[in-house]
Amino acid sequence: MTYIFKLSLKPASSTLALVRDGAVVAEASWPEERNMGQKLFATLRQLLTENGLKPEQVSDFVLESEIPDVYTSMRIAETVKKVYAFGVSVQTNKQG
């Protein structure tokens, strides 16, 4: 089974989905309120916990956006995506 996170950014809201083999197994949405980092990290943890997964079991983080790259929410989302991928790669290398 392959799990990925798929984050969709829209001008008024964001949605984070946990996808397994192409099918959404869980998702959460929140309105745009200038708290992308807080909401995104909390939602990542929530989806992992609710589905009994460890971060290294989610192999990718896909970002789709309808907002401009210069928006702060977009920059935060891109940073979280990179940090998540880095953290998972470090943890995987420690275990291997």
Side-chain angles (χ1 to χ4, degrees):
M1 279 184 259
T2 301
Y3 288 93
I4 65 168
F5 279 123
K6 181 178 175 184
L7 177 61
S8 299
L9 302 177
K10 295 183 180 176
S13 66
S14 299
T15 301
L16 181 66
L18 179 63
V19 179
R20 180 181 63 211
D21 298 327
V24 174
V25 295
E27 71 179 10
S29 297
W30 60 92
E32 175 60 39
E33 295 178 336
R34 298 182 169 259
N35 58 355
M36 172 59 75
Q38 179 183 7
K39 290 289 190 176
L40 184 50
F41 279 118
T43 305
L44 285 166
R45 178 181 291 180
Q46 173 191 342
L47 293 180
L48 289 169
T49 301
E50 288 176 356
N51 290 279
L53 297 171
K54 295 180 181 178
E56 57 270 19
Q57 291 176 282
V58 180
S59 64
D60 200 5
F61 193 122
V62 177
L63 179 58
E64 296 178 347
S65 178
E66 294 178 10
I67 63 174
D69 290 346
V70 297
Y71 279 32
T72 301
S73 290
M74 180 62 178
R75 293 193 315 252
I76 291 170
E78 288 176 335
T79 301
V80 170
K81 174 186 172 179
K82 290 175 185 176
V83 169
Y84 185 87
F86 176 76
V88 167
S89 71
V90 168
Q91 185 64 28
T92 301
N93 288 337
K94 281 184 179 180
Q95 293 176 356

